[in-house]
Amino acid sequence: MTVHTAHEIARIRDLRVEVDGRALVDGVSLRLAPGRITALIGASGSGKTTTGRALLHAYPPGATVTGEVSVPDTPVGYVPQHPATALNPARPVAALLQDIARPQVRHLPRRARRPALRHRVLDALARAQLPDGETLLKRYPHQLSGGQQQRVVLAQALLAGATVIVADEPTTGQDALTKREITGRLAAVARQGIAVLLLSHDLDVVRALADEVHVLHAGRLVESGPPELLRHAPQHPRTRALLTSADPTAAAAPPAPSSALPAPSSALPAPDAVLRVRGLTARHGSSRVLHVPELRLVPGCLAVVGRSGSGKTTLGRCLAGLHRTHDGQLRLDGAALPRSLRDRTRAQLAAVQYVFQDAHASFDTHRTILDQVARSAVRLRHRPRAEATADAVRTLRSLGLTGDLPHRTLAELSGGELQRAALARALLARPRVLICDEITSGLDPVTRRGLLTLLEGLLRADPDLCLVLITHDRDTAALATTLAVLDAGRLVEHGPAARLRTAPRHPLTAGLLQVPGPAPQPSPVGPDPQHQ
Amino acid sequence: TGTAPSGDAAGGRPRRGGTLRAAFAGGGAEETLDPHRANLFADVARAKALFDKLADFGADLSARPRLATSWEPNAGLDRWTVRLRKAVFHHGKPVTARDVLYSYRRIADPRQAFRAKASLAPLDLTASRAVDERTVEFVLKHPTAEFPNLLAAFGAYIVPDGTKDFTAPVGSGPFRFVSFTPGRSAVFRRHEDYWDGPPHLERLEFLVANEESARLNALLGGQVEYAHELTPTTARTHEGKGQIEIVRLRNSTMQSFAMKTDRPPFDDRRVREAFFLLADRRELVAGALSGAGEIGNDLFGKGYQYYADGLPQRRPDPDRARHLLKKAGAEGLRVTLDTSAVAAGFTEAAAIFRDQAAKAGVRVKVAMGSKDSYWQDTLDSGTLCCYRSGAMPLESHFSQRLLSTSTTNATHWRHKDFDALYQQAQSTRNTEDRAAVYARMQRRLYTEGGFLVWGFADWIVGTARTVRGVDRRAPANTLDWARFDRVWLT
Amino acid sequence: MTGLRPWLLRRLLLGAGQTVAVVLLVFALTEALPGDAAVALAGDQPDPARIAALRETMHLDRPAAERLVDWAAGLAHGDLGSSLVSGRPVSSYLADGFGPTLLLATLTLLLLVPLAGGLGVLAARHEGRLVDRLISAVTLGVYAVPEFALGVLLVTVVALRLEWLPPTAVGHGDDLTAHPAVLVLPVLVLLSRPVCSLARLVRAGMIDALAAPHIAHARRYGIPGARLRYAHALPNALAPAAQQLARTVDWLLCGVIVVEALFVIPGLGTVLMNAVAERDVPVLQGLAVVFAVTGVVLNLAADTVIYRCTPRAGVAA
Amino acid sequence: MRRRRWACALIVLAVPLLLALLGPLFAGEPGPRGASFTTGGGHGAGTDFVGRDVWRQVLLGGRPVVLAALAATALAYAVALPLGLCGALTHRRWLDELLTRPLDVLLAVPSLLLVLLVAAVVRPGAAGIALLVALVNIPDAARAVRAAAAEAAARPVVEALRMQGESWARTALGCVGRAALRTLAADAGVRLTGVLYLVATASFLGVGAAPDAADWAVMVDRNRTGMFVQPWAVALPALLIVALTMGTNLLFDAALAGRTPRPAPGRERPPAPEPPPADATYPAPGPNEKDEP
Ligand SMILES: Nc1ncnc2c1ncn2[C@@H]1O[C@H](COP(=O)(O)OP(=O)(O)OP(=O)(O)O)[C@@H](O)[C@H]1O
Ligand SMILES: Nc1ncnc2c1ncn2[C@@H]1O[C@H](COP(=O)(O)OP(=O)(O)OP(=O)(O)O)[C@@H](O)[C@H]1O
Ligand SMILES: [Mg+2]
Ligand SMILES: [Mg+2]
């Protein structure tokens, strides 16, 4: 390790966070130095978030904390794993951004403050890859897509002039192109002398950015070193597992899409569509955000890809009956499907299930996860309680949520765990059409592989199942037999996965599916003005 | 600031000048300066300041001449000649017989519903005439020995001939109109040419404050000098404390329970008598009137002219009451007592009487009624209700409430012989003889009437210590009550 | 919800319907009350002939429906009719009563909002600690004391003992603004209870709002405490408080009968109570129109605040 | 700390509750009436406006107050809660309008006037008046519920519950209602007091409880004239009412206190087993620094 202790700006020493006698993090020590990006990787639930939040002096309620955490006086920037939690639902995006920037313009004459304020805010948004900040400023958080929310939160951190930034999965909700730009931005940030703690599953990003990588396993640091070292000579079996399963070469052999799964539609005469969408035009208020003239969901796996904010979630929500303001026609097995899920029968509800992009917000804070998951079987399949619970436990276990995890509440689970719980909840309804909105974004490669295998198994077991994967992740998209590409609310390309991968017609398709990996160089956005 | 009671004429030499502000409970925007429409105490007090009647009642409720100097009947007592005194209205014109006739005819207008209309009903106003400028000859429909009461009737004020608009009224009273805002205030100033001598006060302001505590606070805080209608509790708190003067106008309000004598169980006179014996009047006065009053003896008009004060005072006798009830076959009697928050002491009296009756095994159920329609509601329905009456001559009490033809006969007391006695009294010229007839009538009521008169409440007025000349004897509604032309400020 | 403006328009239209309903309700209830204006006027002289005559002069002998229709026809021309008892136009009653009431209500509101908001936020900030418990105890205590008791107490101490302020506004009813001192105590009494209830609601909402992660997040970025609480946390807690505030304004406008009586301020409450006592139906109906219109506007305002503070409400499935 | 709060609330509440519950047992037979508003004279707390012993009235007067107020509040909420939640949860605007607009009509009539008018027309008994007071409170409470629940009802959790075909009651009460619990508790606590005095005022206006009933609220109202001669007749029942409402509300507060995650004091920073590090430059989190869940 070549850490310059003299320059360290923040430090965690021997941190142990214990809840109810169980250590979430144990003996973790980290040093953050200005201008360096420290990555913390590890399986879902290994304690990354807990460690990262320690730098904010934020611990789970009732936790016993020992060890030492020192951070500088300046604000510590934080991009939480669930960006929605950091956004005030009752205020437009601009409110907090402007308040953050206000002290920075105080020295200006009164008249000049307003434009300067505005300029700074827009600039920060642009640096966080939200170039059309103008329109976003007036919006409320719920009017942003998941990725946009994340970038807004990043913009806050950039604007605040933090010397330490804790970025918890900053790229999860982003498409490959945006991701590359954000990585570039983070690198640029670091070059200005900001210490970045990167908590991520995305090894591409880690590899491209990190100056130093720490591997967490079950709350303990098992290995540390520069990324190259870890890659070429991982010492710990866990590290190995993490790294190999995410190795591009490993991912290059996608989970055998064509072997076991039903052949893509080009091979056979089109099978009957389970869900047909016709003339779908979705609006948010008066603005049209999605237009899909025709979409047929056939058994098998459809991946919906597109840039962040292109309308993927909106499409999923339209199908699920969560988004009412559209004028398309939905037909499930030939029968009309009501637009709003309130009008759907329980059978129809069970048939089309949606896994929320923001898993955190989709759970009730008071009840245990198990209880909430089991309700699907009780309500939608009329199972008795006990049976439903057993079913839920089984499903959760198959997703890696074992032990007492299911008996905890929302606040006591990690981001990845929640995502899996949300999937379990949908699975328990035994849906015909299962729409998964970025369900692998919060998962480490190992867990993700496991999850994809499980989905694959589902597809195989139920040849009628229609799986819609909304994703930015190429590995995940690799599961699909069909691909749909959305751009700015339009369905620009739709066809067999193999063809789109090899011979994309639309440049975006190529961009999204064939990006070789995040650019190691920063994107051409200028340096932060506030650090000039 | 002398120690002598301020109300007495002996309170020092009257001083001229100053403004007196008097707080009354009012009627909101419905208030009026039309004296014939006067309904509330505030209305009457204002009317009294601006106008005059031909006669008014003294402290014993006998008629005293005001604008009239004399009244002479003919032999049949159905034609009365009234002489007017020399008096001028505020605009300088004299008060004439024409004004009197105009006023009375206006009151009696069949298309209108002025309050004094019933009182003036015995007059035949088409036959009555002005003999000269200051002499009126009144023709009556039947002999009326108590004709002067009629001239003193509530609201029988004299207004200038032809007056219809009372927004800036002209009268002959001690004060002239300055301004008036219904429900808020009225400002008057001295009428220098008042026939009874000009008032001492320069200005008189009537202010409206409906809440008793507001009137009291305004008085205590020096915002007014006269607060009308205070509660007994207030009187107790401040009496003799030196901060303000408390004036108790005795015998102002009769407090009673009215039994409907024509329907069970009260159609049996034994039951009525039993009820007379049930009531512990001292407890009622102490509890319901907070001690501010005197006990009653089941007769109206204690201290008034013709009141039969020779009858023995009734005392509670539950045993005899029980016995009487038993004889009447009314053991374990249950009655409903109607009451309402319409007048001070009603609900309290009802509750206390309920407990007293329970001692003799009578179960009284107290029913609260709407206070706005209470009097009409209890006039013909129910069997037992709380009742009160302001001061009026005995004769009026009989004629309005106890004759077969009475319109507000709350006890349904209808007896031909009683009516005959009343007629006899009205045709009796000699006062002593008339008194004897009234005594007979009262004896009858004492033994078997429908009014269980348990007390006479004081009317309590508070004045600032600077106020002199407030009469301390006149029951509310009589001449010297709220008479501000005799008041002065030190 | 699709856009604020069409929604507002629709609500205003509905409001007209509500006003009609209120008027009908009040009319029906007053008609159903025992007695009528004639009986009320006759008072303790319920001479049937006189009552009949009074009825006739007041046109009460006509069927209720006919009177209502007449009144409504007048209303269409902006004529609220005239009082049964005094014959004066109802509009003059309302105009007379409205001034003082409006003045009191405005003053009270001007103090109420910052005071209640401040107290609620302060208590929420220190939830469970001494400050909170002190504020909670005092507000709850004061809230449980009826207005008249507080009013009498204040008058006795402040006005009569200490002689700092005039005890009542008697005689100043026409021109309260010229004597601001007389308004102090009434406004204090008027404030006492709404401050408490509002502060409680603000406190409750603020505790949850302050505990939200986005507030911790904003605090991390050095947003000053006051701004954080009032500009960022408070909007999340505002909806119920705004609702309560609308009710308070309604209560203030519709006559704080006790205060008006206690301090002799001839406002709408006094007009209302007198009109009920006198069964003066046209006046009551006029008041009903006023109440209904203020009610509609206030509820609409409160709903708009809710709408603004819960922007997701319209789009959630 | 929590325990102290509970104890405090319970003690404050226990006095009026015990008096209300057990008072009638100790009241005994009514003694002879005295004069109104006297102090002493064998009456420990003096006499009331009709000369009864105040202490006896206090002993007797708790039960009706507690019963009427609790019943009316509970009743109002029993109706208002589903109404308000329904309004908050529905996306059928017409349904929302249908539910709320008619209630707004009731809202536009001052509650006292409404009670007065309706009571004068139908002449209810004590139970009826509780019902009436509850009725008058429904629109208001329903709006409060709706406002408090509006934000929670729009959360994605609710969408997720719908997706699960969850029953309305569970969604509304279990999730939305629970999220708004603190505000609802505050509203209910305050409403309790309002209801209490509305019942008392109604009784003074001649409906419901007898105007001389042994009832704390009625006592406060009726004995006000003697406030300065005999303060106990007002002060005692008023204090008990204050204690009742204060206790109830403090109890709510105490019960809900632990619901928001807040770091236990002293745990916000690592309670260093070693001496505090010299380079701990981060300022100690303010007393309000809250942890995120
Ligand atoms: N408040 C809590 N009480 C108990 N256990 C908790 C609490 N918060 C988190 N945990 C547990 O601690 C472990 C670490 O959580 P943490 O959120 O740090 O994981 P993570 O590494 O960020 O995972 P992910 O990648 O899924 O976000 C998880 O197993 C989680 O279930
Ligand atoms: N309520 C709203 N009002 C206005 N615009 C909205 C609203 N909700 C979403 N949008 C916009 O609609 C577009 C599509 O949003 P959507 O959530 O479907 O994107 P997405 O493809 O899922 O993006 P991401 O990958 O970032 O989750 C975005 O540009 C977003 O800003
Ligand atoms: Mg995490
Ligand atoms: Mg999305």
Side-chain angles (χ1 to χ4, degrees), chain B residues 176-192:
Chain B
R176 305 162 162 268
F177 170 84
V178 175
S179 73
F180 176 56
T181 319
R184 296 189 188 179
S185 65
V187 181
F188 303 152
R189 69 185 159 85
R190 175 164 43 214
H191 175 35
E192 293 289 354

Side-chain angles (χ1 to χ4, degrees), chain A residues 196-438:
Chain A
V196 178
L197 178 63
L198 178 68
L199 317 177
S200 184
H201 300 296
D202 194 325
L203 295 176
D204 290 345
V205 175
V206 171
R207 232 173 260 131
L209 282 178
D211 298 308
E212 188 185 341
V213 178
H214 298 271
V215 183
L216 261 183
H217 173 60
R220 296 185 158 273
L221 279 184
V222 292
E223 197 159 0
S224 306
E228 303 77 35
L229 191 82
L230 287 181
R231 185 163 164 203
H232 296 305
Q235 304 290 306
H236 197 272
R238 266 281 134 188
T239 321
R240 240 178 343 256
L242 274 177
L243 295 181
T244 46
S245 67
D247 196 290
T249 47
S258 39
S259 56
L261 299 179
S265 49
S266 59
L268 286 172
D272 278 350
V274 177
L275 187 65
R276 280 182 72 149
V277 183
R278 194 177 290 144
L280 180 94
T281 304
R283 282 164 281 115
H284 279 299
S286 53
S287 66
R288 262 176 48 166
V289 291
L290 180 69
H291 181 69
V292 177
E294 166 95 45
L295 185 67
R296 289 156 33 92
L297 299 187
V298 295
C301 178
L302 165 75
V304 178
V305 296
R307 298 207 59 168
S308 172
S310 59
K312 303 181 296 297
T313 298
T314 310
L315 175 63
R317 288 173 58 90
C318 285
L319 302 185
L322 292 167
H323 187 101
R324 278 172 288 128
T325 47
H326 70 80
D327 29 47
Q329 280 179 7
L330 301 178
R331 301 193 83 82
L332 179 72
D333 292 325
L337 190 62
R339 196 169 299 167
S340 166
L341 84 171
R342 300 188 199 224
D343 306 324
R344 297 186 181 175
T345 63
R346 288 212 219 161
Q348 286 170 328
L349 282 176
V352 183
Q353 282 284 306
Y354 172 79
V355 185
F356 288 75
Q357 181 172 12
D358 187 354
H360 184 269
S362 75
F363 278 104
D364 189 352
T365 30
H366 301 294
R367 288 188 292 151
T368 65
I369 295 297
L370 178 61
D371 185 26
Q372 299 185 54
V373 169
R375 290 297 292 175
S376 282
V378 175
R379 295 294 300 177
L380 296 176
R381 287 194 293 122
H382 309 284
R383 285 296 105 96
R385 233 185 102 96
E387 194 183 318
T389 309
D391 208 352
V393 169
R394 210 174 315 121
T395 311
L396 285 168
R397 190 176 316 123
S398 73
L399 288 167
L401 300 179
T402 50
D404 73 329
L405 278 177
H407 298 279
R408 299 197 203 155
T409 56
L410 170 66
E412 299 164 336
L413 291 184
S414 79
E417 287 160 355
L418 280 175
Q419 262 179 340
R420 285 174 278 162
L423 176 62
R425 175 169 61 183
L427 285 178
L428 236 60
R430 300 269 186 276
R432 310 261 341 259
V433 178
L434 176 63
I435 306 155
C436 302
D437 200 348
E438 317 250 11

Side-chain angles (χ1 to χ4, degrees), chain B residues 259-268 271-272 330 333-336 382-384:
Chain B
M259 302 175 273
K260 296 268 181 300
T261 57
D262 64 342
R263 59 186 66 157
F266 299 112
D267 54 352
D268 188 326
V271 176
R272 298 205 290 273
L333 181 64
R334 289 159 181 262
V335 285
T336 301
T383 52
L384 179 65

Side-chain angles (χ1 to χ4, degrees), chain A residues 56 75 77-78 85-86 88-91 96 99-100 102 140 142 156-157 160 322 324 342, chain C residues 213-215 217-218 220-221 223 227 231-233 235-236 308-309 311-312 314-317:
Chain A
L56 312 166
Y78 181 45
T85 58
N88 189 341
R91 298 298 314 271
L96 182 58
D99 278 359
I100 292 175
R102 192 152 287 135
Y140 288 91
H142 75 270
Q156 292 169 352
L322 292 167
R324 278 172 288 128
R342 300 188 199 224
Chain C
H214 53 82
I215 294 301
H217 186 76
R220 222 170 273 138
Y221 288 139
I223 308 300
R227 186 148 188 98
H232 294 274
N236 291 285
R308 302 288 298 186
C309 290
R312 241 188 90 85
V315 292

Side-chain angles (χ1 to χ4, degrees), chain B residues 27-106:
Chain B
E30 322 281 20
E31 289 175 3
T32 170
L33 283 184
D34 182 343
H36 301 156
R37 279 190 210 281
N39 211 12
L40 308 162
F41 284 117
D43 290 336
V44 177
R46 279 187 297 248
K48 182 179 251 179
L50 291 176
F51 300 93
D52 269 317
K53 293 193 267 194
L54 291 185
D56 213 337
F57 296 118
D60 67 347
L61 275 294
S62 59
R64 308 278 163 85
R66 297 294 295 159
L67 281 179
T69 48
S70 67
W71 40 72
E72 283 303 322
N74 66 355
L77 291 174
D78 59 357
R79 201 171 275 259
W80 287 73
T81 309
V82 174
R83 299 272 315 152
L84 301 182
R85 76 174 70 243
K86 241 183 162 147
V88 290
F89 286 113
H90 300 151
H91 55 25
K93 296 206 186 119
V95 179
T96 64
R98 279 220 313 287
D99 300 315
V100 171
L101 283 172
Y102 169 77
S103 301
Y104 279 23
R105 283 181 183 139
R106 179 169 187 261

